[in-house]
Amino acid sequence: MLYRRRSRTLRVAGTAFALLLSACGTAPTAPPAADRIDALIAQMTLEEKVGQLSLYAAAGSGDDPNPDTNRQSREQQLAEIRAGRVTGLFNGVGAAWTRELQRVAVEDSRLHIPLLFGADVIHGFRTVFPVPLAEAASWEPALARRTARVAAIEATAAGLQWNFAPMVDISRDARWGRAVEGAGEDVYLARQFAAARVHGFQGDDLAAPDTLAATLKHFAAYGAAEAGLDYNTVDISERSLRDTYLPPFQSALAAGAAVVMTAFNEIAGVPSSANPDLLEGILRREWGFTGPVVSDYTSEAELVTHGFAANEREAAWLAFLAGVDISMQSGIYMKYLPGLVRDGAVPPARLDQAVRRVLLLKQRLGLFDDPYRGVDPTREAANTATPAHRALAREAARRSIVLLSNRNDLLPLPKRGRRLALIGPFGAAQHDINGPWTLFASDANSVNLEQGLRAALDDPALLTVVKGSEVDAPIDGGIEAAVAAAREADVVLLAIGESARYSGEAKSRTEIVIPLAQQALAEALAATGKPVVVLLRNGRPLVLRGAVRAAEAILVTWFLGSESGNAIADVLFGDYSPSGRLPVSFPQAPGQVPYYYSRKNTGRAAQDPQTEYQTRFLDLSNEAAFPFGHGLSYSRFAYGEPEPDRAQLAWDGTLTVRARITNTGSREAEEVVQLYVRDRVASVTRPVRELKGFEKVRLAPGQSVQVSFALRRADLEFIGRDLKPVAEPGVFDVWVAADATGGRSKSFELMPP
Ligand code: BGC
C-alpha cells in the first residue's frame, strides 16, 4: 500500500509493562499478551480498574461538537491521569500535546498504563475528503478504503490511535441529519463501505504506528429514529433490525473492527446503552465480538432521562451489566462502579472482563511497547496535507459527484468562449465547503467553487460571480444583481443548497427543500431564459422543485472537502465524466419520506393512476424524483438483457448473470452496472428489488463489455419467521440495470436441497 509506513523498532525503555513487571519482580521476557494483561489487572485497585473504563473529552479541545457536560479543566484532567482514573481522551489532537499527556500517564501514574487518544475522524483529518454519504455515491468501496487510510495516516501522526468511525447506520429518512455520515439507504452498498472503511482505518496491523482502531457506530438502528428526528424513539421489529440495520455491523466486524459504540436511541422501549439482548446476546454471543463496547457521549447517563433508570447509580449499573464497557464523558462509572462492586451489585469478574478488553485494545495498538507510537511534531508535519493526500481528495471528490440531469447535453462546458455567471451563496464562499464533522480542518484551506472554476478556465475573465442570496435569507438587491449578471452570460452556474450546519448530529429538518430565499433566486434566474446548471450542495437527499428541478443540468456536489472547487471544475468542464450514482433516493416531495427503493409491494400495489384503492398518495405518484442508483455520465450506455447462465440455481451451486453493456455515446466514461433481485414468493414478504452486486466499468466510445455477477444461495437469504437467516426455494427475478427502477428482468429458480 502506497501510504503504509511501518516502524516497529520503537520500543521505548521504561514502558508500562517493563515498569510493571520489574515492580512485580518478574523477569522482563515478554509473556503472552493475555497473561501480561492479567498480571497488570492483578495489580490494579478498584478505582484504577474503573479508570480504564472512563473516557473524557480532552480539556480545551476547541471545536468539540458535543454538549458541555461534565467538562474538566486541563489541571483536573492532568490530576486524574496521574491518579490512573482516565483511560483516554478524545477530540484533542497534536503530536506535542498527546506526547505530553502520554508522558504524564506512563511516567507519573502508579501503573504507567498508556492513554488512548480517540477522535471523530469522519471524512479526513487535515485533508478533508467528501462526506461519507457523498463518498458512497462513488460506488467505489476501494476509494473509501484509500481515503480512510490517508485519514489514519494524518490522524495517527497527530497522536491519535482510535477513531470514532465508521458510522454504519442505514438511513432511509432524509430528514435525519446524520444520514450524511453513513453510506445511505441500501444494505448491500452500506456493507461494502462499512468493511472498506474499517480496512482503511485499521490497515493490516493495528500495532503499526499509522493505524486507527475503528469504532462501529451507533449500535443499533440509530438511523431508524421516528420522523428522522435525531435521538428519537425507534420501534422496529427484530426482523427489520436484523434484515436492514445490523448487516453493515456484521460486515464491518468481519473486516476486524476493534470497537463498537452504542446508540443514543431506544429500540422498542429498551435504550441501546442498556440492552443486554443487543450487547451480550447479538454482539458477543451470536457474533463473537471480543473488543470493548463504548457508550456514546453520556448515553449511559441518559438512561435516567429515558425513564429507564431511577438515578445515575442505577444507570451505571444497568449499562455496565448490559455490556457497555467504557463510559464516555458522563463520569458515572467512576462515581458509582467502585461502590457497586463493593456492595456486590456488580461481580468483580465483570469488572475485570471490561478492563481486560480495554487493556487488550491498548496492547493490540502497540501502546505498551511504544506509548507514543513514534509520534513527534516532525512526523506530524511530514504526514499532514501532503500533495499526495490532496490529490486523493480531488480524485475522491470528483468521483462522488452525481449528474442528475443534463438536457441537450449542456454539460460538459467548454473552457473557453462562453461567458459564465456563477451565482448563489456557495459560489465565492470560503465556508460550507468541508461539511459537517470536520473538527480538525478549516474551510480556509479548501478550494472554493470560484477558485476551482477560475483555475480551470482558459480565460478566467469570462467568469462573473454574484452572490444573489444568503443561504437562508434574501440580500437587498441580490436578485436584481444576479439577474443582470445572468443576462450578460451564456450559462448560469447556480450554486445553491444547504449549509454545513443543516446536516450532522442534531440537524434534522422537516422540509428537505432548497431554502426559500435561494429558491426565489433560482426562479428569477430561470425567467431570464438562460441555461442554468444547478450545483447542489447538500448533506442529504433534497426535494427539488420549480426552476431548480427544471434546470438544464443538475450536479449533486454534496460537501466534497479540501479539493471541492477543483473537483467540480473537473466535472463541469469534462476533464472527468461523472461516475457517481445516488446512494439514496431523491423523493419528489417531503411527504414521501421515509422513502427507499427497497420497499414492499403491499397487497394493493399501485399499478395505474386510474384505479382507486391502491397504495398511493392522492396527490403524487410513488416514484422517486431521482431513484437510488441513478446518475448520468457524459456518454450513453445501452444495456443488453440480463442472461442467467442457467434456469435453475442448485442449492449449493452458483448461477452467473451476465449482461452486455455498450458505450453508445461519443466519450469515454464510467458506468455503474447494478444487479437487483426479487424473491417473488417467500414465507416473509420480500422487497420489490434488492441490490445484490455492482461494478463500475470504464468504456471507450463504441466499446462493449460483458459484466457478470455470481449469485449463490447465501445472496438470497433473508431473516425468516424464526428470526434466523434462511433462503427458500422458488422463483427469483433478476435485473442488470443502471438504477433501482430500470432494466428488463429475467427469472431463475432456486432449487431445493
Ligand atoms: C456522537 C458520536 C461521537 C461522540 C463523540 C456523539 O454525540 O453521537 O458519534 O463519536 O459524540 O464526539
Side-chain angles (χ1 to χ4, degrees), residues 4 39 64 107 130-131 134 229 253 256 377-378 495 524 572 700:
R4 185 142 202 86
D64 196 281
E107 290 182 14
V131 289
L229 179 62
L253 288 175
T378 321
L572 212 46

Side-chain angles (χ1 to χ4, degrees), residues 1 14 19 79 125 170 190 425 499 501 517 604 608 619 741:
M1 191 83 199
L19 284 165
F125 186 66
I170 296 283
S499 63
R501 64 183 176 76
R604 294 195 171 186
D608 64 276
D619 51 354
T741 59

Side-chain angles (χ1 to χ4, degrees), residues 479-499:
I479 289 193
E480 290 75 6
V483 165
R487 291 220 167 91
E488 294 301 310
D490 299 309
V491 178
V492 174
L493 306 175
L494 182 56
I496 53 172
E498 300 185 304
S499 63

Side-chain angles (χ1 to χ4, degrees), residues 74-94:
R74 189 173 155 80
E75 291 64 39
Q76 284 167 328
Q77 210 149 60
L78 283 171
E80 293 280 289
I81 293 168
R82 277 194 192 96
R85 289 161 53 92
V86 179
T87 196
L89 301 174
F90 64 93
N91 287 348
V93 300

Side-chain angles (χ1 to χ4, degrees), residues 92-93 98 117-119 121 125 155-162 211-212 373 440:
V93 300
T98 52
F117 290 97
V121 183
F125 186 66
T156 50
L160 299 175
Q161 314 100 9
W162 182 15
T211 55
L212 289 172
R373 293 174 112 217
F440 313 105

